[in-house]
Structure formats: C-alpha cells, structure tokens
Amino acid sequence: MTEQIVETDREQQETLDQPKALKPGQVADFLREHPDFFVGRDDLLLDLTLPHQRGDAISLVERQVALLRERALDYRHQLVRLADNAKANEKLFERMRLLVLSLLECRDLEQLVEVIGDSLNHEFGIEFHSLILFSDQPMNLPVRIEHTDVVVEALGSIMTSGKAICGQVTQAELEFLFQEQADNVGSVAIAPLNYALSEPQQLGVLALGSQDKHHFKASMGTLFISYLGDILSRVLARQLHS
C-alpha cells in the first residue's frame, strides 16, 4: 500500500514538472508583444509553414512577402481611385467656377434662367432640370412661377427643411417638379432656394433629374447641389429686388 502511494506521488510530481503546453492564443499574444522575435532566427522562419489557398505549404517568409505584395497592390488601387476622384473634382470645380462667373454677369432674370439651363444641360450633362420661382404675381419669364404655399404643400418636408437632398422621391413629387417628364426621371437632387437676407426668404426650388435610379443617391452627399443652390439664391435675390 505504501509503495502504491509513493508511486502515485512520483507520477503526480512528474506531471507537475512537465512544462504546460501553450495555447495558440498565448502564442499569438506573445508574438504581438514581441514583433522582433524572429530577428536573427531565419532558420526558424524557414522551418515554419503555412497552408496556402491552393493546398500547398509555403514558408512564413514567402507568405509574408505574398501578403505585402497584396497589400501594396491594394494601396496602388486606392491611389488610382484617389487620383481619379481628384481629377473628377477638379473638372467639377472648373465647371462650377465658370457657372458662378456667368451667373454673376447676368443682367436680368431672363438671362439668368438661360445661363442655368444651358450650363446644366451642356456643361454638367444633367438630363432633366426644373427651376421654379416663387411669386404672388405673374412674371413674364421663360421659367415656371408658383405660389410659395402651393410648392410647400406639394413638396412637404423637402421645402420646410430648407436642406438639399439626393435620391428618390414620391411619384407625386416627381410629377410636380418635372411635369410631363416625370415618368423618365429615376433619381433627383433638389435644392430649396432660400436666402436669409431676402424678403421673402424662400425664393424657389431647383431640381436636377436623371433617368438612372442610382445616379443621385442619398449616400453621395449634397455638397454640389447645396453650393449651387446657395449661389443661385443670392443671385436671384439680387435680381428680384433690383
């Protein structure tokens, strides 16, 4: 009996003396805390293998090189996209600059309406646009004139919010804005034309339309249409009160 107890104690001691196996998470944590662990251990790097997507085994060094190449390629693609976006923004800025200068040079509302239509159609490639001005009195202009209350009732929160929007609107709103062209419009960008220093402050509304349902998206932002609306509002206020 005593011999069995001694033997059991010896086995337990041997078990305690054996080093505990590290868990994968512990190894990963150690390598994160010691990123230079493999410095000077090239032979160890070459002995380590990783499974490849094709089922082959490659060394850790080869895998690292492959990952670095993939990452470099991703960065290159990102740089190309950034460069393309920069070129597109530069072209947009130049077109906007020319439009703003043309609007500032307009002598009257009739010329202003003509400049807006010509620039949107030819310079910006806008398929459909609708410029509606607010007035209680009839105006002899080649542009649509509506009473403010009529527009607010038809467009609801689009007008009461005072903020530009992009995306899709209801069929009723499309029909009010684009009338007989409404069935061809898939997405819109709309800017209420408001100017705080004007009386009344609400001057009109500008709507741009595209046949493509995804051309004007809510996620694209409203910088362009908001800027155009701000410029047009100020020029309109000057023309209407001159």
Side-chain angles (χ1 to χ4, degrees):
M1 184 66 177
T2 305
E3 293 178 354
Q4 292 179 350
I5 295 175
V6 171
E7 184 65 27
T8 301
D9 291 342
R10 185 182 298 111
E11 292 176 354
Q12 291 177 348
Q13 185 62 40
E14 290 177 353
T15 302
L16 292 173
D17 291 340
Q18 291 178 354
K20 294 182 179 179
L22 293 175
K23 296 181 180 179
Q26 293 175 306
V27 176
D29 291 340
F30 175 83
L31 292 177
R32 288 193 188 96
E33 295 175 2
H34 303 83
D36 58 347
F37 175 76
F38 290 105
V39 175
R41 296 182 173 91
D42 295 345
D43 55 336
L44 179 58
L45 282 173
L46 294 174
D47 289 338
L48 294 175
T49 59
L50 295 173
H52 194 264
Q53 292 178 351
R54 297 193 303 267
D56 302 331
I58 60 175
S59 71
L60 184 59
V61 172
E62 292 173 313
R63 181 57 176 158
Q64 286 178 323
V65 170
L67 288 174
L68 289 173
R69 286 175 178 169
E70 292 175 7
R71 188 171 299 176
L73 186 60
D74 288 340
Y75 287 151
R76 189 178 305 169
H77 289 162
Q78 291 179 22
L79 287 174
V80 170
R81 288 194 295 269
L82 288 173
D84 290 341
N85 289 338
K87 291 179 182 178
N89 289 334
E90 184 178 1
K91 291 180 180 179
L92 179 61
F93 172 79
E94 180 60 20
R95 291 169 184 164
M96 184 62 72
R97 185 183 71 86
L98 294 175
L99 173 57
V100 170
L101 292 176
S102 297
L103 289 174
L104 292 175
E105 293 172 352
C106 289
R107 297 183 300 274
D108 51 39
L109 281 173
E110 186 172 355
Q111 186 180 11
L112 183 146
V113 172
E114 182 180 350
V115 166
I116 282 289
D118 184 69
S119 179
L120 291 177
N121 290 333
H122 298 98
E123 298 298 328
F124 292 91
I126 301 297
E127 296 173 276
F128 310 99
H129 80 275
S130 174
L131 175 61
I132 304 174
L133 300 184
F134 301 160
S135 178
D136 297 334
Q137 304 296 328
M139 300 176 68
N140 186 23
L141 289 172
V143 67
R144 185 173 162 193
I145 306 296
E146 294 283 1
H147 193 282
T148 307
D149 295 339
V150 174
V151 181
V152 172
E153 182 178 356
L155 300 182
S157 61
I158 296 176
M159 292 304 303
T160 55
S161 70
K163 297 180 180 180
I165 66 166
C166 288
Q168 297 182 357
V169 295
T170 67
Q171 185 62 31
E173 290 167 340
L174 281 178
E175 291 174 357
F176 179 81
L177 288 168
F178 296 98
Q179 297 181 322
E180 66 275 4
Q181 296 178 324
D183 291 337
N184 299 320
V185 179
S187 60
V188 298
I190 304 173
L193 304 178
N194 304 321
Y195 185 38
L197 300 182
S198 172
E199 185 58 44
Q201 294 183 1
Q202 291 183 311
L203 303 171
V205 60
L206 174 67
L208 313 181
S210 171
Q211 290 184 347
D212 185 356
K213 292 183 179 181
H214 305 290
H215 183 77
F216 294 111
K217 299 181 293 185
S219 60
M220 71 183 296
T222 58
L223 180 62
F224 164 71
I225 187 67
S226 296
Y227 179 67
L228 179 57
D230 289 342
I231 295 296
L232 187 55
S233 297
R234 283 155 177 75
V235 176
L236 275 173
R238 185 185 65 184
Q239 294 286 355
L240 288 169
H241 298 108
S242 60

